[in-house]
Amino acid sequence: MEKSIFAYQSEPTEYIKSGDSGAIEALIPERFLQRQEPDLPQATEQDVIRHFSRLAGLNYSVDTGFYPLGSCTMKYNPKINEAVADLPGLAGVHPYQDEKSIQGVLELAYGLEQFLLAVSGFQGLTLQPAAGAHGEITGILLIKAYHRLASKKEKRRIILVPDTAHGTNPATAALAGYEVRQVKSDEAGDIDLADLKQNLSPEVAALMLTNPNTLGLFEKNILQVSKMVHEAGALLYGDGANFNALLGLVKPADLGFDVMHFNLHKTFSTPHGGGGPGAGAVGVVEKLIPFLPVPLVKKKGEKFYFDYKVKHSIGKVRSFYGNFLIAVRAYAYFLALGEEGIKKVGRQSILNANYLLRKLKDVYEWPYRRSCMHEFVITPKTGWQVNTLDIAKRIIDYGYHPPTIYFPLIVHEAMMIEPTETETKNTLDEFSAALLSIAQEAQTTPELLKKAPVNSPVGRLDEARAARQLILKYEKAR
Ligand SMILES: Cc1ncc(COP(=O)(O)O)c(C=O)c1O
């Protein structure tokens, strides 16, 4: 266990002694001056470096190990992307620079948009939103603006969301002022067509759908679903968080989606987690282009420019042009993989997930007994004296990041595993061996799993208390 930095007892470090700080003090208004010495840790530079290096070594990341966090697409982030995003001409560009001096930046944004349009089949796009959820609210506001313009007596006040949806979907719809209605899934894990039919009405603005859905299953009735939604005068919103599985195989616009957000930080490989930064580009079909946020990046002859003349624009959704350096990484990723490489992403992610599923499906409960897409959901077997949390904690002892747990909500004790296409067969074999061994332990030594993790710097935490009683700063014992 690493001790607190305050526990170091080195000689006091006196970089600014009270006696010789007069010049600085003279610059600070009296009311801001604090007369007593700050309570700083007394550690040498070497102590500090060692302390933080050791702490940094406790972090778990895609660079240090397998990270099968379902729905998060924790794929390897090629280092070339970082090198490109670090180029001074890109990293150092100022948002108020004149268009003439940022032609390369605009060309890159334009080029990325063309790549995204090519793989999705949409006709218009914005790179502004800063995350998937931000893309969702942008997309739903586009839908709202579209319906408003289509009819003066606009009365579409409902958004339909399947029971498998990620929590951000209903939250987005509610934030945009809609009533949220849930649509059930059927026994096969697809959206229930009868329930959808019953819920569709002239009051429905859109259905928000994730495909593959959060069970890792391809919505096999998607063409029928989009037909039903469109016949009701509603639009089909695509949550593109799982787009990785479709990449190079299917274009969402061909499935009938009218608008979809991309999680650039997932599908197009950017380090993410812990709150960002991300990018939630939004692609749209032709009829929604007049509503896109301003500015759009356009090209005239050899010149690139920002176009603010978007007729019914919903306005800006983010300062300047979004998290641009995430777009740089995504662009580098496209260029590095090339057309042939991009085509293999979806295929390989599906193959990896199915390979892992086949190894685990007879030992764990497998609620939806279909081939999966890029991820799958399993649960502990009935009769085991352990729950999903115990298994997830035990996975830490085996040296892995646990999968997503207790999501999607419709599967009791869900464990959602997404290996991604960047993992080798070796890693998948080792991880499945760990899960099979944990399954054995669940039946022979359940008390061990109840205590897990036992080999980590921090043991089992009281998670409810940790979430409810936040203590975010170190309080030195007096
Ligand atoms: C299915 C799904 N939709 C939407 C989101 C929201 O994306 P973001 O975290 O980038 O806001 C996530 C994030 O995990 C997701 O898994």
Side-chain angles (χ1 to χ4, degrees), residues 46-65:
Q46 179 171 276
D47 283 342
V48 172
I49 294 295
R50 286 182 181 161
H51 173 70
F52 284 108
S53 298
R54 281 195 294 262
L55 282 183
L58 299 180
N59 276 331
Y60 195 92
S61 69
V62 174
D63 283 357
T64 52

Side-chain angles (χ1 to χ4, degrees), residues 326-338:
I326 305 297
V328 172
R329 289 173 173 91
Y331 187 69
Y333 180 76
F334 266 109
L335 286 182
L337 286 190

Side-chain angles (χ1 to χ4, degrees), residues 71-72 131-134 136 166 168-169 210 214 239 241-242 261 263 265-266 407:
S71 209
C72 291
H134 196 191
E136 287 175 36
H166 191 259
T168 48
N169 291 187
T210 314
T214 60
D239 177 332
N242 292 345
H261 79 259
N263 291 61
H265 45 289
K266 297 183 182 185
F407 178 73

Side-chain angles (χ1 to χ4, degrees), residues 103-117:
Q103 282 296 299
V105 166
L106 293 178
E107 182 174 354
L108 190 153
Y110 185 86
L112 176 60
E113 289 186 14
Q114 299 308 307
F115 281 144
L116 292 172
L117 293 176

